[in-house]
Amino acid sequence: MRSIIEYVKLKYPFVYNYLVSFVNKVILATRPYSIYVTDNLGGSFKSYFINNDMPLKINALKKDLDLESIELVQIIVQRLLYYPDAKNKRWTSKNNSVVGGLLPIETKTQKKLIERQIEIVAKSVKLSKQMIEESVFYFYHGLSLLPMEVHKYIAGQHFMDLGAYAGDSAIALSKYQYSKIFSLEISLKSIGQYYLNMKTNGISDERYEVLNIGVASSDNELPVKMYDTGSTGLSLYRRTGKYDEILVEKKSLDWIVEQNAIQPKFIKVDIEGAAMDFVKGASKTLAKFRPVLSIAIYHNPTEFFEVKPALEAMLGNYTFLIRKLTSGVKNNLIHSEVVLLGYPNELIATK
């Protein structure tokens, strides 16, 4: 058998390469993977379910949502209940149905559509392939799902990118014509890469500013020592590792906005578990500027169940939607990239 394979490889290299590619695809299609729920970024969903009045929490979350959001919440809750926490993850077969059924974004048709578009985008931006994610370069943190009136409202305005990583969002969101984007990032390693990526992709210095600061619920919190992994998952809620130690200053969004003369009309928040800290420290900013919001709420149960009700109590006359911005399901993608989108009702004439 080995001699036959070697003969084909030498005599018919194109046939050999095709067969290898086909076999690899079969292996990937049948290889088992894990499905689990994130439990190390601010609390376990399982514990939250036990210690709270969940019918009350779920009803508060679903209140005034559109049908698509309600169906998504119902499916995600089923998954959070069924699948194990990360510390107890186990292998599962790809032949097993995903609990709750597939969301529209998770179907094969939608996945192929997104993959084709991502391939096109990958050729037009100068970033590593790993940085070109669906949530950023296909859904643009949910902006692609919102009405044109929202796009007009934010065009030419200040954006804020909370959890900026290495500039992928700042590069993608330039499509929406911000006048300047203020990017908050706690990792010095990521900030170094951010500057390089912005220069490589032709974003002028005048259009962005990086603030090395963490988002807090108040202005009197002490700086935090942590290890700078430079990864997308670097979090104030997870401070372990064997990397360079950094000291992270923490301030409320209201303080950050006032000190830097920011007038935000779009705020993207993906700060690895600290979305409720953002809400608690942003009341003045949200009331004054009434920005469009994209908030990742999947890291922990407080984000998922309490951010929307807290914003509703703070803001009047807003529309909120909940969407999942990734087509994957393996590992923790059954609930990852679930975001809360919000915009002022006065933008839409029929509201």
Side-chain angles (χ1 to χ4, degrees), residues 237-350:
Y237 280 72
R238 179 172 55 203
R239 301 195 298 273
T240 59
K242 297 179 181 179
Y243 302 89
D244 299 335
E245 191 173 75
I246 56 175
L247 189 65
V248 179
E249 183 183 15
K250 299 172 65 179
K251 293 292 183 181
S252 72
L253 191 84
D254 286 340
W255 184 94
I256 295 167
V257 165
E258 183 177 357
Q259 291 297 311
N260 295 279
I262 307 171
Q263 302 177 45
K265 286 299 183 182
F266 173 69
I267 303 177
K268 165 249 170 178
V269 184
D270 190 350
I271 46 180
E272 304 301 316
M276 185 55 78
D277 293 328
F278 155 75
V279 173
K280 290 178 179 178
S283 59
K284 293 178 182 178
T285 298
L286 298 179
K288 181 178 180 179
F289 296 105
R290 293 182 67 76
V292 176
L293 300 169
S294 173
I295 306 174
I297 58 170
Y298 63 88
H299 302 96
N300 61 51
T302 302
E303 283 190 340
F304 190 79
F305 291 104
E306 299 181 24
V307 164
K308 174 182 170 282
L311 286 170
E312 287 176 320
M314 183 185 300
L315 292 169
N317 206 29
Y318 255 71
T319 289
F320 288 104
L321 310 169
I322 298 178
R323 297 290 188 265
K324 183 172 181 275
L325 306 185
T326 181
S327 60
V329 293
K330 67 180 180 179
N331 298 324
N332 64 344
L333 293 180
I334 51 155
H335 69 106
S336 288
E337 304 304 335
V338 170
V339 302
L340 176 69
L341 304 171
Y343 60 86
N345 286 343
E346 61 264 25
L347 302 186
I348 312 299
T350 57

Side-chain angles (χ1 to χ4, degrees), residues 185-247:
E185 176 54 49
I186 60 178
S187 167
L188 296 177
K189 291 182 179 179
S190 293
I191 288 173
Q193 189 63 46
Y194 178 107
Y195 286 122
L196 179 61
N197 287 335
M198 294 295 271
K199 181 178 180 180
T200 303
N201 284 274
I203 310 294
S204 67
D205 297 350
E206 294 77 19
R207 294 192 67 202
Y208 65 88
E209 184 172 341
V210 183
L211 304 173
N212 179 214
I213 193 168
V215 175
S217 59
S218 68
D219 300 328
N220 54 11
E221 296 188 25
L222 295 175
V224 174
K225 284 186 178 181
M226 60 190 305
Y227 294 98
D228 190 355
T229 65
S231 70
T232 56
L234 186 61
S235 170
L236 292 168
Y237 280 72
R238 179 172 55 203
R239 301 195 298 273
T240 59
K242 297 179 181 179
Y243 302 89
D244 299 335
E245 191 173 75
I246 56 175
L247 189 65

